[in-house]
């Protein structure tokens, strides 16, 4: 049975804490039940950390809001076990077209090569994403969800965080080791702590209109500069599930945001775009202002900010929700390791250094998009229009066109958790890069590489086809450990799980105690510039943190220690 997530009332329960004088404790409290908060809470729970999520409402988001979810977000949700549910509900796309006035300037393909488990993007209304994450959260044994529990006070010390929570049945207090603030761009928690987001507000306004219609149009991103139906502005169109289409119109700074979202003002704009013969129904609309903001620091003692609470960018480029999902994935494993006692508290500082730099990159892209969309002078407009004219026939000019640089996975190249290369490699899989996927085989079963590395430290060795046993012996000796310690070496240090990669022609199956996979189409070796003996180390959020041309057990152990701040 299909669930109407927009009408779903999330269950409220009176908290036992209202009747108890004792101050209850939780290791982690996540505030905010949007895509970022739910992702963070699920990730923590799957690692084994008990987590409580609080939200002040009992409804999912209204309207479509964020709709473009990137390949990297889908891969993160795959790791959490809900990627397929989200991807299959969405509309997949990878192609786009840019128009100027009456004609096509150029087309592009965001994922031109085959052999990836997920598309470049899906379009899916935010309330569906939240609903599917909510369904998955209910199945997590370490996760408690509380709706209509509004945080109205927060006190932080060096030892803990105390939150004051207001409910329909009264107010109560809770103590936690760490608080994760995912409570949106207007973040009440940020205000309670007297913190600010600073940045730039651009003098322009945009109308978002979701319309339902039957249209024989391809599933692609269409962007217009100065089209005949909306002169001196820009427009954008995307397909969503259920015959709903997202349309954006640039309005200008002088537009009245209240008047412009009235149906009698929206409908003529849509009709001018579609033509008189296309019936449509307005589903939802909003007006927004371009802005790029972020907090100076994402960590304040035991309180950590993520998603829109920490940083915000304009919608063009789909960098808002997607960067927040990456925040959640970056933070969850680090909090888990710190709480478990396997890593020092300073590992959490790397969440800030990595994600603050990623936010700066997103803000830079978004700012350049705003500058191209809204020229600041007559000469800027002449330059922009000249670039668009040249781009029709000259590929070099297309690199200057900016209708919103679309979100890609952040490369954490300057992270202190990386081990710098000592050997020569080609390609993008540098330390700090998000791992690239590829088709593989596990025995006779086809699978995807990212499914195999999961959410732990993994050392991947490309075997010599002529002597897999030698590679297996090397891995087996390096990863000998006390079984009672699970993911730890007998001396207490964090271990990486071994993974052996062999050529498609090699016999399938496990070699000794070492899991093996086959490079089904030899794309894995190509994407990782691998030769026999090449070794990669992945951290639990599936970013590369070290690589070598030859397997070295001591170098591997040192790299794991560095990547967990134990070095």
């Amino acid at each position: 049975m299909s669930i109407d997530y927009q009408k779903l009332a999330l269950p409220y329960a009176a908290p036992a804490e209202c009747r108890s004088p004792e101050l209850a404790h939780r290791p982690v409290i996540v505030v905010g039940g949007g895509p970022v908060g739910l992702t963070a809470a699920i990730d923590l729970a799957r690692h084994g950390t008990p987590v409580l999520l609080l939200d002040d409402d009992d409804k999912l988001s209204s309207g479509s809001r964020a709709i473009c979810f990137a390949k990297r977000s889908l891969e993160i949700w795959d790791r959490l076990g809900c990627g397929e549910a989200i991807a299959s509900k969405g509309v997949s796309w990878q192609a786009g077209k840019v128009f100027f006035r009456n004609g096509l300037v150029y087309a592009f393909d965001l994922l031109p090569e085959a052999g990836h488990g997920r598309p470049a993007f899906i379009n899916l209304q935010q309330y569906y994403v939240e609903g599917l994450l909510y369904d998955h959260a209910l199945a997590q044994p370490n996760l408690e969800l509380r709706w209509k529990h509004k945080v109205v006070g927060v006190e932080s010390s060096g030892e803990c965080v105390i939150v004051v929570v207001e409910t329909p049945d009264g107010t109560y207090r809770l103590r936690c080791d760490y608080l994760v603030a995912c409570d949106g761009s207007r973040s009440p928690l940020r205000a309670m702590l007297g913190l600010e987001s600073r940045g730039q507000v651009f003098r322009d306004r945009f109308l978002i209109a979701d319309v339902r219609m039957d249209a024989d149009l391809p599933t692609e991103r269409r962007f217009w500069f100065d089209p005949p139906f909306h002169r001196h502005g820009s427009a954008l169109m995307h397909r969503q599930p259920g015959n709903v289409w997202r349309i954006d119109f640039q309005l200008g700074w002088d537009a009245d945001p209240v008047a412009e979202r009235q149906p009698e003002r929206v409908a003529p704009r849509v009709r001018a775009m579609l033509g008189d013969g296309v019936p449509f129904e307005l589903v939802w609309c909003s007006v927004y202002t371009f802005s790029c903001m972020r907090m100076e620091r994402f960590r304040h003692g035991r309180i950590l900010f993520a998603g829109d609470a920490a940083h915000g960018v304009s919608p063009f480029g789909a960098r808002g929700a997607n960067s927040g999902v990456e925040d959640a994935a970056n933070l969850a494993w680090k909090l888990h390791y710190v709480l478990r006692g396997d890593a020092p508290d300073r590992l959490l500082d790397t969440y800030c250094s990595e994600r603050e730099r990623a936010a700066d990159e997103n803000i830079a892209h978004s700012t350049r998009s705003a500058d191209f969309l809204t020229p600041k002078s007559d000469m800027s407009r002449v330059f922009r229009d000249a670039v668009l004219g040249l781009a029709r026939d000259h590929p070099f000019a297309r690199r200057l066109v900016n209708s919103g640089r679309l979100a890609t996975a952040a490369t954490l190249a300057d992270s202190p958790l990386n081990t710098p290369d000592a050997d020569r490699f080609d390609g993008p899989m540098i330390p700090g890069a998000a791992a690239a996927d590829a088709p593989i085989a596990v025995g006779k079963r086809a699978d995807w590489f990212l499914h195999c590395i999961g959410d732990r430290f993994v050392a991947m060795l490309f075997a010599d086809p002529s002597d897999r046993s030698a590679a297996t012996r090397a891995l087996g000796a390096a990863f000998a450990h006390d079984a009672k310690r699970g993911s730890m070496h007998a001396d207490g240090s964090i271990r990486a799980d071994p993974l052996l990669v062999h050529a498609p022609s090699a016999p399938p199956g496990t070699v000794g105690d070492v899991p093996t996979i086959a490079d089904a189409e030899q794309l894995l070796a190509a994407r990782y510039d691998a030769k026999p003996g090449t070794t990669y180390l992945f951290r639990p959020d599936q970013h590369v943190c070290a690589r070598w041309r030859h397997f070295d057990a001591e170098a591997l152990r040192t790299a794991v220690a560095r990547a967990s701040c134990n070095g």
Side-chain angles (χ1 to χ4, degrees):
M1 183 178 68
S2 178
I3 299 174
D4 188 343
Y5 285 115
Q6 286 218 281
K7 296 181 179 178
L8 181 66
L10 303 174
Y12 164 78
E17 289 84 356
C18 283
R19 304 186 298 273
S20 173
E22 296 185 7
L23 190 62
H25 169 264
R26 298 289 191 281
V28 179
I29 293 176
V30 174
V31 180
V36 178
L38 283 164
T39 298
I42 293 168
D43 207 346
L44 280 160
R46 285 177 61 85
H47 276 292
T49 294
V51 58
L52 170 65
L53 184 144
L54 303 173
D55 192 274
D56 63 358
D57 200 0
D58 64 349
K59 298 286 192 300
L60 303 175
S61 63
S62 61
S64 296
R65 298 187 182 272
I67 65 163
C68 294
F69 294 94
K71 180 174 182 286
R72 175 62 178 154
S73 293
L74 297 174
E75 290 167 349
I76 289 169
W77 291 327
D78 274 337
R79 180 173 57 78
L80 301 186
C82 54
E84 179 58 29
I86 295 172
S88 61
K89 182 67 176 176
V91 174
S92 299
W93 67 277
Q94 63 191 57
K97 291 176 180 174
V98 176
F99 299 86
F100 180 43
R101 294 177 181 157
N102 292 312
L104 174 68
V105 178
Y106 66 93
F108 60 85
D109 189 336
L110 296 170
L111 196 65
E113 60 180 14
H116 291 272
R118 292 299 174 202
F121 279 90
I122 64 162
N123 286 349
L124 183 63
Q125 294 91 326
Q126 183 173 320
Y127 54 81
Y128 280 126
V129 173
E130 291 178 2
L132 294 166
L133 287 169
Y134 165 72
D135 291 342
H136 194 57
L138 292 175
Q140 307 307 314
N142 292 309
L143 175 53
E144 181 184 359
L145 306 170
R146 294 187 180 183
W147 308 102
K148 299 191 77 171
H149 286 244
K150 181 180 180 180
V151 175
V152 295
V154 59
E155 305 167 21
S156 182
S157 69
E159 301 299 321
C160 68
V161 179
I162 295 175
V163 296
V164 183
V165 186
E166 184 179 85
T167 76
D169 288 284
T171 300
Y172 66 95
R173 300 166 80 236
L174 285 173
R175 179 171 59 90
C176 63
D177 297 311
Y178 292 96
L179 181 70
V180 181
C182 306
D183 54 342
S185 59
R186 294 182 176 87
S187 180
L189 277 168
R190 194 176 63 220
M192 290 174 206
L193 294 167
L195 303 171
E196 295 181 338
S197 269
R198 293 191 175 95
Q200 182 178 3
V201 176
F202 296 90
R203 294 174 62 83
D204 208 348
R205 291 194 172 98
F206 291 79
L207 168 70
I208 298 176
D210 281 357
V211 302
R212 183 173 285 111
M213 62 178 180
D214 290 323
D216 186 20
L217 294 171
T219 302
E220 61 188 13
R221 182 184 196 260
R222 292 186 160 203
F223 195 98
W224 290 265
F225 289 96
D226 194 12
F229 58 81
H230 189 60
R231 291 304 312 274
H232 309 301
S234 63
L236 172 68
M237 178 184 279
H238 269 292
R239 182 194 291 270
Q240 303 175 66
N243 288 328
V244 175
W245 295 75
R246 162 68 54 84
I247 301 174
D248 289 44
F249 293 103
Q250 186 178 19
L251 298 177
W253 182 244
D254 295 331
D256 183 331
V258 175
E260 289 294 347
R261 61 174 174 258
Q262 301 307 312
E264 61 269 21
R265 298 286 286 270
V266 178
R269 296 187 186 278
V270 176
R271 193 171 295 111
M273 171 188 266
L274 302 177
D276 292 332
V278 180
F280 64 89
E281 171 194 356
L282 286 177
V283 177
W284 175 79
C285 60
S286 181
V287 173
Y288 67 90
T289 301
F290 251 23
S291 62
C292 293
M293 317 285 283
R294 86 163 174 87
M295 298 177 68
E296 183 179 358
R297 291 180 292 116
F298 294 176
R299 181 184 186 188
H300 292 266
R302 291 179 173 268
I303 302 175
L304 300 111
F305 289 81
D308 286 350
H311 50 80
V313 293
S314 58
F316 287 107
R319 292 176 177 272
N322 288 299
S323 62
V325 171
E326 290 190 54
D327 288 348
N330 188 295
L331 179 56
W333 73 272
K334 295 173 181 179
L335 265 176
H336 173 67
Y337 274 60
V338 169
L339 284 165
R340 198 172 65 174
D342 295 342
D345 179 83
R346 69 176 180 273
L347 180 61
L348 298 178
D349 292 334
T350 69
Y351 162 72
C352 297
S353 61
E354 291 179 349
R355 295 310 302 166
E356 287 166 4
R357 181 174 288 273
D360 287 340
E361 181 179 316
N362 284 327
I363 287 171
H365 279 297
S366 190
T367 299
R368 287 192 284 269
S369 296
D371 289 341
F372 197 84
L373 290 171
T374 310
K376 302 300 184 290
S377 67
D378 290 341
M379 284 304 298
S380 295
R381 183 174 293 275
V382 168
F383 171 78
R384 188 200 70 176
D385 292 353
V387 166
L388 289 166
L390 286 168
R392 287 194 180 101
D393 301 311
H394 302 285
F396 82 87
R398 294 170 193 168
R399 294 192 294 270
L400 302 175
V401 176
N402 195 330
S403 63
R405 294 281 189 262
L406 288 154
T408 56
T411 297
L412 312 172
D414 298 322
S415 172
L417 305 187
N418 296 338
T419 295
D421 283 337
D423 304 309
R424 178 180 172 79
F425 283 87
D426 293 322
M429 287 295 99
I430 64 173
D437 207 1
I440 55 96
V442 183
K444 295 181 179 180
R445 174 174 58 87
D447 207 336
W448 294 97
F449 171 63
L450 293 183
H451 295 173
C452 296
I453 60 174
D455 54 7
R456 67 236 192 259
F457 280 102
V458 169
M460 173 176 68
L461 173 61
F462 287 83
D464 186 334
S466 65
D467 192 358
R468 284 199 304 162
S469 60
T472 304
R473 287 194 300 272
L475 281 171
F479 294 106
H481 68 287
D482 181 351
K484 295 180 181 180
R485 300 286 294 180
S487 62
M488 306 290 288
H489 283 289
D491 64 2
S493 61
I494 297 172
R495 71 183 283 268
D497 290 339
L499 182 66
L500 187 69
V501 180
H502 60 76
S505 58
T510 299
V511 180
D513 295 327
V514 177
T516 66
I517 60 175
D519 190 0
E521 298 176 20
Q522 298 186 340
L523 287 175
L524 194 63
R527 287 175 182 164
Y528 287 86
D529 184 28
K531 304 169 184 175
T534 295
T535 306
Y536 274 79
L537 177 65
F538 302 95
R539 56 191 225 183
D541 58 1
Q542 297 187 342
H543 278 259
V544 175
C545 52
R547 58 184 179 172
W548 305 269
R549 280 301 181 196
H550 302 284
F551 180 79
D552 184 324
E554 188 55 36
L556 181 61
R557 182 177 291 226
T558 299
V560 174
R562 178 172 182 152
S564 56
C565 283
N566 282 303

